[in-house]
mmCIF file of all heavy atoms in Angstrom:
data_model
loop_
_atom_site.group_PDB
_atom_site.id
_atom_site.type_symbol
_atom_site.label_atom_id
_atom_site.label_comp_id
_atom_site.label_asym_id
_atom_site.label_seq_id
_atom_site.Cartn_x
_atom_site.Cartn_y
_atom_site.Cartn_z
ATOM 1 N N ARG P 1 0.699 -1.262 -0.001
ATOM 2 C CA ARG P 1 -0.002 0.026 0.034
ATOM 3 C C ARG P 1 0.785 1.319 -0.040
ATOM 4 O O ARG P 1 0.488 2.221 -0.779
ATOM 5 C CB ARG P 1 -0.974 0.042 1.157
ATOM 6 C CG ARG P 1 -2.086 -1.030 0.930
ATOM 7 C CD ARG P 1 -3.082 -1.026 2.004
ATOM 8 N NE ARG P 1 -2.475 -1.544 3.214
ATOM 9 C CZ ARG P 1 -2.886 -1.721 4.390
ATOM 10 N NH1 ARG P 1 -4.148 -1.277 4.617
ATOM 11 N NH2 ARG P 1 -2.220 -2.297 5.294
ATOM 12 N N PRO P 2 1.906 1.399 0.783
ATOM 13 C CA PRO P 2 2.663 2.728 0.766
ATOM 14 C C PRO P 2 3.213 2.961 -0.622
ATOM 15 O O PRO P 2 3.246 4.054 -1.110
ATOM 16 C CB PRO P 2 3.765 2.474 1.703
ATOM 17 C CG PRO P 2 3.227 1.485 2.711
ATOM 18 C CD PRO P 2 2.377 0.554 1.943
ATOM 19 N N LEU P 3 3.673 1.901 -1.288
ATOM 20 C CA LEU P 3 4.283 2.000 -2.595
ATOM 21 C C LEU P 3 3.266 2.376 -3.734
ATOM 22 O O LEU P 3 3.428 3.101 -4.571
ATOM 23 C CB LEU P 3 4.976 0.754 -3.019
ATOM 24 C CG LEU P 3 6.307 0.403 -2.293
ATOM 25 C CD1 LEU P 3 6.839 -0.969 -2.791
ATOM 26 C CD2 LEU P 3 7.323 1.453 -2.283
ATOM 27 N N LEU P 4 2.022 1.797 -3.476
ATOM 28 C CA LEU P 4 0.915 2.191 -4.427
ATOM 29 C C LEU P 4 0.397 3.610 -4.211
ATOM 30 O O LEU P 4 0.159 4.281 -5.232
ATOM 31 C CB LEU P 4 -0.274 1.216 -4.285
ATOM 32 C CG LEU P 4 0.081 -0.308 -4.623
ATOM 33 C CD1 LEU P 4 -1.100 -1.160 -4.205
ATOM 34 C CD2 LEU P 4 0.314 -0.335 -6.054
ATOM 35 N N VAL P 5 0.468 4.006 -2.998
ATOM 36 C CA VAL P 5 0.162 5.536 -2.705
ATOM 37 C C VAL P 5 1.196 6.370 -3.470
ATOM 38 O O VAL P 5 0.800 7.371 -4.017
ATOM 39 C CB VAL P 5 0.006 5.718 -1.255
ATOM 40 C CG1 VAL P 5 -0.072 7.253 -0.968
ATOM 41 C CG2 VAL P 5 -1.182 5.078 -0.696
ATOM 42 N N ALA P 6 2.443 5.944 -3.332
ATOM 43 C CA ALA P 6 3.556 6.812 -4.051
ATOM 44 C C ALA P 6 3.294 6.809 -5.579
ATOM 45 O O ALA P 6 3.426 7.845 -6.123
ATOM 46 C CB ALA P 6 4.896 6.209 -3.728
ATOM 47 N N VAL P 7 2.919 5.647 -6.148
ATOM 48 C CA VAL P 7 2.648 5.619 -7.545
ATOM 49 C C VAL P 7 1.488 6.502 -7.845
ATOM 50 O O VAL P 7 1.426 7.303 -8.768
ATOM 51 C CB VAL P 7 2.422 4.175 -8.030
ATOM 52 C CG1 VAL P 7 1.855 4.071 -9.380
ATOM 53 C CG2 VAL P 7 3.678 3.398 -7.917
ATOM 54 N N MET P 8 0.341 6.494 -7.120
ATOM 55 C CA MET P 8 -0.789 7.176 -7.299
ATOM 56 C C MET P 8 -0.566 8.783 -7.155
ATOM 57 O O MET P 8 -0.946 9.503 -8.083
ATOM 58 C CB MET P 8 -1.875 6.936 -6.208
ATOM 59 C CG MET P 8 -3.170 7.672 -6.281
ATOM 60 S SD MET P 8 -4.249 7.376 -4.886
ATOM 61 C CE MET P 8 -3.289 8.019 -3.533
ATOM 62 N N MET P 9 0.178 9.118 -6.262
ATOM 63 C CA MET P 9 0.564 10.601 -6.125
ATOM 64 C C MET P 9 1.487 11.023 -7.260
ATOM 65 O O MET P 9 1.294 12.115 -7.763
ATOM 66 C CB MET P 9 1.166 10.884 -4.732
ATOM 67 C CG MET P 9 0.226 10.749 -3.568
ATOM 68 S SD MET P 9 -1.263 11.708 -3.709
ATOM 69 C CE MET P 9 -0.549 13.308 -3.610
ATOM 70 N N GLY P 10 2.394 10.280 -7.586
ATOM 71 C CA GLY P 10 3.305 10.599 -8.694
ATOM 72 C C GLY P 10 2.554 10.707 -10.022
ATOM 73 O O GLY P 10 2.797 11.564 -10.878
ATOM 74 N N ALA P 11 1.537 9.870 -10.206
ATOM 75 C CA ALA P 11 0.735 10.047 -11.451
ATOM 76 C C ALA P 11 -0.115 11.238 -11.535
ATOM 77 O O ALA P 11 -0.449 11.681 -12.544
ATOM 78 C CB ALA P 11 -0.164 8.751 -11.541
ATOM 79 N N SER P 12 -0.525 11.739 -10.301
ATOM 80 C CA SER P 12 -1.374 12.815 -10.391
ATOM 81 C C SER P 12 -0.625 14.263 -10.160
ATOM 82 O O SER P 12 -1.256 15.338 -10.226
ATOM 83 C CB SER P 12 -2.452 12.765 -9.116
ATOM 84 O OG SER P 12 -1.695 12.835 -7.946
ATOM 85 N N ALA P 13 0.667 14.223 -9.908
ATOM 86 C CA ALA P 13 1.504 15.467 -9.781
ATOM 87 C C ALA P 13 1.978 15.825 -11.127
ATOM 88 O O ALA P 13 3.079 15.585 -11.539
ATOM 89 C CB ALA P 13 2.525 15.268 -8.875
ATOM 90 N N SER P 14 1.152 16.599 -11.879
ATOM 91 C CA SER P 14 1.578 17.013 -13.278
ATOM 92 C C SER P 14 1.558 18.566 -13.351
ATOM 93 O O SER P 14 0.759 19.122 -14.068
ATOM 94 C CB SER P 14 0.632 16.368 -14.244
ATOM 95 O OG SER P 14 -0.599 16.798 -14.029
ATOM 96 N N PHE P 15 2.353 19.144 -12.552
ATOM 97 C CA PHE P 15 2.283 20.691 -12.451
ATOM 98 C C PHE P 15 3.386 21.327 -13.418
ATOM 99 O O PHE P 15 3.252 22.553 -13.646
ATOM 100 C CB PHE P 15 2.587 21.166 -11.120
ATOM 101 C CG PHE P 15 1.717 20.482 -10.030
ATOM 102 C CD1 PHE P 15 2.239 19.635 -8.963
ATOM 103 C CD2 PHE P 15 0.331 20.640 -10.007
ATOM 104 C CE1 PHE P 15 1.530 19.061 -7.959
ATOM 105 C CE2 PHE P 15 -0.408 20.065 -9.098
ATOM 106 C CZ PHE P 15 0.108 19.301 -8.143
ATOM 107 N N ALA P 16 4.332 20.603 -13.842
ATOM 108 C CA ALA P 16 5.554 21.359 -14.477
ATOM 109 C C ALA P 16 5.316 21.498 -15.982
ATOM 110 O O ALA P 16 6.190 22.175 -16.600
ATOM 111 C CB ALA P 16 6.798 20.453 -14.170
ATOM 112 N N THR P 17 4.377 20.972 -16.619
ATOM 113 C CA THR P 17 4.145 21.163 -17.968
ATOM 114 C C THR P 17 2.686 21.409 -18.340
ATOM 115 O O THR P 17 1.762 21.028 -17.704
ATOM 116 C CB THR P 17 4.575 19.962 -18.879
ATOM 117 O OG1 THR P 17 3.735 18.790 -18.507
ATOM 118 C CG2 THR P 17 6.000 19.589 -18.563
ATOM 119 N N PRO P 18 2.438 22.265 -19.437
ATOM 120 C CA PRO P 18 1.076 22.510 -19.781
ATOM 121 C C PRO P 18 0.409 21.347 -20.356
ATOM 122 O O PRO P 18 -0.731 21.310 -20.514
ATOM 123 C CB PRO P 18 1.204 23.669 -20.796
ATOM 124 C CG PRO P 18 2.583 23.591 -21.337
ATOM 125 C CD PRO P 18 3.385 22.958 -20.245
ATOM 126 N N ILE P 19 1.130 20.292 -20.841
ATOM 127 C CA ILE P 19 0.488 19.135 -21.449
ATOM 128 C C ILE P 19 0.313 17.999 -20.417
ATOM 129 O O ILE P 19 -0.051 16.855 -20.734
ATOM 130 C CB ILE P 19 1.362 18.656 -22.596
ATOM 131 C CG1 ILE P 19 2.784 18.362 -22.231
ATOM 132 C CG2 ILE P 19 1.248 19.652 -23.682
ATOM 133 C CD1 ILE P 19 3.637 17.694 -23.321
ATOM 134 N N GLY P 20 0.651 18.235 -19.111
ATOM 135 C CA GLY P 20 0.574 17.181 -18.022
ATOM 136 C C GLY P 20 -0.849 16.787 -17.798
ATOM 137 O O GLY P 20 -1.187 15.772 -17.277
ATOM 138 N N TYR P 21 -1.795 17.697 -17.938
ATOM 139 C CA TYR P 21 -3.213 17.520 -17.494
ATOM 140 C C TYR P 21 -4.123 18.376 -18.355
ATOM 141 O O TYR P 21 -3.672 19.468 -18.845
ATOM 142 C CB TYR P 21 -3.295 17.768 -16.081
ATOM 143 C CG TYR P 21 -4.640 17.207 -15.455
ATOM 144 C CD1 TYR P 21 -4.921 15.830 -15.504
ATOM 145 C CD2 TYR P 21 -5.666 18.192 -15.116
ATOM 146 C CE1 TYR P 21 -6.176 15.371 -14.990
ATOM 147 C CE2 TYR P 21 -6.912 17.666 -14.625
ATOM 148 C CZ TYR P 21 -7.092 16.305 -14.585
ATOM 149 O OH TYR P 21 -8.282 15.798 -14.035
ATOM 150 N N GLN P 22 -5.286 17.915 -18.533
ATOM 151 C CA GLN P 22 -6.284 18.660 -19.451
ATOM 152 C C GLN P 22 -6.384 20.134 -19.004
ATOM 153 O O GLN P 22 -6.402 21.123 -19.736
ATOM 154 C CB GLN P 22 -7.612 18.033 -19.583
ATOM 155 C CG GLN P 22 -7.507 16.753 -20.250
ATOM 156 C CD GLN P 22 -7.387 15.561 -19.082
ATOM 157 O OE1 GLN P 22 -6.847 15.896 -18.017
ATOM 158 N NE2 GLN P 22 -7.786 14.442 -19.349
ATOM 159 N N THR P 23 -6.505 20.367 -17.621
ATOM 160 C CA THR P 23 -6.740 21.742 -17.048
ATOM 161 C C THR P 23 -5.593 22.699 -17.376
ATOM 162 O O THR P 23 -5.750 23.730 -17.784
ATOM 163 C CB THR P 23 -7.021 21.738 -15.676
ATOM 164 O OG1 THR P 23 -8.236 20.766 -15.406
ATOM 165 C CG2 THR P 23 -7.519 23.038 -15.181
ATOM 166 N N ASN P 24 -4.403 22.081 -17.244
ATOM 167 C CA ASN P 24 -3.143 22.868 -17.682
ATOM 168 C C ASN P 24 -3.171 23.352 -19.066
ATOM 169 O O ASN P 24 -2.837 24.456 -19.448
ATOM 170 C CB ASN P 24 -1.910 22.018 -17.361
ATOM 171 C CG ASN P 24 -1.648 21.600 -15.900
ATOM 172 O OD1 ASN P 24 -2.536 21.983 -15.050
ATOM 173 N ND2 ASN P 24 -0.508 20.952 -15.582
ATOM 174 N N THR P 25 -3.569 22.555 -19.950
ATOM 175 C CA THR P 25 -3.756 22.858 -21.266
ATOM 176 C C THR P 25 -4.693 23.918 -21.677
ATOM 177 O O THR P 25 -4.525 24.812 -22.350
ATOM 178 C CB THR P 25 -4.013 21.548 -22.144
ATOM 179 O OG1 THR P 25 -3.003 20.546 -21.826
ATOM 180 C CG2 THR P 25 -3.922 21.910 -23.638
ATOM 181 N N MET P 26 -5.796 23.879 -20.975
ATOM 182 C CA MET P 26 -6.871 24.833 -21.192
ATOM 183 C C MET P 26 -6.383 26.199 -20.686
ATOM 184 O O MET P 26 -6.502 27.282 -21.268
ATOM 185 C CB MET P 26 -8.145 24.420 -20.406
ATOM 186 C CG MET P 26 -8.907 23.390 -21.055
ATOM 187 S SD MET P 26 -10.573 23.031 -20.450
ATOM 188 C CE MET P 26 -10.084 22.412 -18.804
ATOM 189 N N VAL P 27 -5.768 26.313 -19.524
ATOM 190 C CA VAL P 27 -5.247 27.589 -18.867
ATOM 191 C C VAL P 27 -4.143 28.062 -19.802
ATOM 192 O O VAL P 27 -4.008 29.199 -20.038
ATOM 193 C CB VAL P 27 -4.762 27.284 -17.489
ATOM 194 C CG1 VAL P 27 -3.959 28.520 -17.033
ATOM 195 C CG2 VAL P 27 -6.010 26.953 -16.532
ATOM 196 N N TYR P 28 -3.287 27.069 -20.348
ATOM 197 C CA TYR P 28 -2.091 27.532 -21.148
ATOM 198 C C TYR P 28 -2.602 28.222 -22.385
ATOM 199 O O TYR P 28 -2.075 29.327 -22.769
ATOM 200 C CB TYR P 28 -1.320 26.213 -21.515
ATOM 201 C CG TYR P 28 -0.172 26.345 -22.468
ATOM 202 C CD1 TYR P 28 1.050 27.008 -21.944
ATOM 203 C CD2 TYR P 28 -0.224 25.801 -23.650
ATOM 204 C CE1 TYR P 28 2.025 27.236 -22.801
ATOM 205 C CE2 TYR P 28 0.958 25.973 -24.539
ATOM 206 C CZ TYR P 28 2.013 26.714 -24.111
ATOM 207 O OH TYR P 28 3.084 26.792 -24.853
ATOM 208 N N ALA P 29 -3.603 27.723 -22.989
ATOM 209 C CA ALA P 29 -4.180 28.248 -24.176
ATOM 210 C C ALA P 29 -4.848 29.660 -23.999
ATOM 211 O O ALA P 29 -4.617 30.553 -24.748
ATOM 212 C CB ALA P 29 -4.977 27.236 -24.871
ATOM 213 N N SER P 30 -5.629 29.563 -23.011
ATOM 214 C CA SER P 30 -6.565 30.923 -22.903
ATOM 215 C C SER P 30 -5.777 31.879 -22.108
ATOM 216 O O SER P 30 -6.142 33.138 -22.267
ATOM 217 C CB SER P 30 -7.842 30.544 -22.042
ATOM 218 O OG SER P 30 -7.415 29.933 -20.849
ATOM 219 N N GLY P 31 -4.771 31.653 -21.316
ATOM 220 C CA GLY P 31 -4.176 32.669 -20.505
ATOM 221 C C GLY P 31 -2.840 33.233 -21.208
ATOM 222 O O GLY P 31 -2.154 34.076 -20.562
ATOM 223 N N ASN P 32 -2.548 32.676 -22.265
ATOM 224 C CA ASN P 32 -1.271 33.114 -23.043
ATOM 225 C C ASN P 32 -0.102 32.999 -22.296
ATOM 226 O O ASN P 32 0.790 33.705 -22.215
ATOM 227 C CB ASN P 32 -1.477 34.548 -23.504
ATOM 228 C CG ASN P 32 -2.400 34.826 -24.559
ATOM 229 O OD1 ASN P 32 -2.700 33.949 -25.405
ATOM 230 N ND2 ASN P 32 -3.303 35.859 -24.491
ATOM 231 N N TYR P 33 -0.018 31.804 -21.547
ATOM 232 C CA TYR P 33 1.157 31.459 -20.734
ATOM 233 C C TYR P 33 2.198 30.895 -21.711
ATOM 234 O O TYR P 33 1.886 30.351 -22.788
ATOM 235 C CB TYR P 33 0.863 30.342 -19.727
ATOM 236 C CG TYR P 33 0.083 30.968 -18.546
ATOM 237 C CD1 TYR P 33 -1.373 30.645 -18.556
ATOM 238 C CD2 TYR P 33 0.575 31.851 -17.601
ATOM 239 C CE1 TYR P 33 -2.131 31.152 -17.389
ATOM 240 C CE2 TYR P 33 -0.197 32.387 -16.686
ATOM 241 C CZ TYR P 33 -1.548 31.981 -16.446
ATOM 242 O OH TYR P 33 -2.236 32.588 -15.503
#
């Protein structure tokens, strides 16, 4: 379980690129980032 939680959190931490998650892409396009 601790290793699976680490995998789960790693999979959901997509802050560093605009293509990491759909919301990042929407903000990237509309906000002229």
Side-chain angles (χ1 to χ4, degrees):
R1 287 180 292 176
L3 295 178
L4 293 175
V5 169
V7 169
M8 175 187 67
M9 291 303 294
S12 65
S14 58
F15 308 118
T17 65
I19 56 173
Y21 193 67
Q22 297 94 336
T23 309
N24 295 6
T25 306
M26 289 189 294
V27 170
Y28 177 69
S30 64
N32 294 323
Y33 290 106

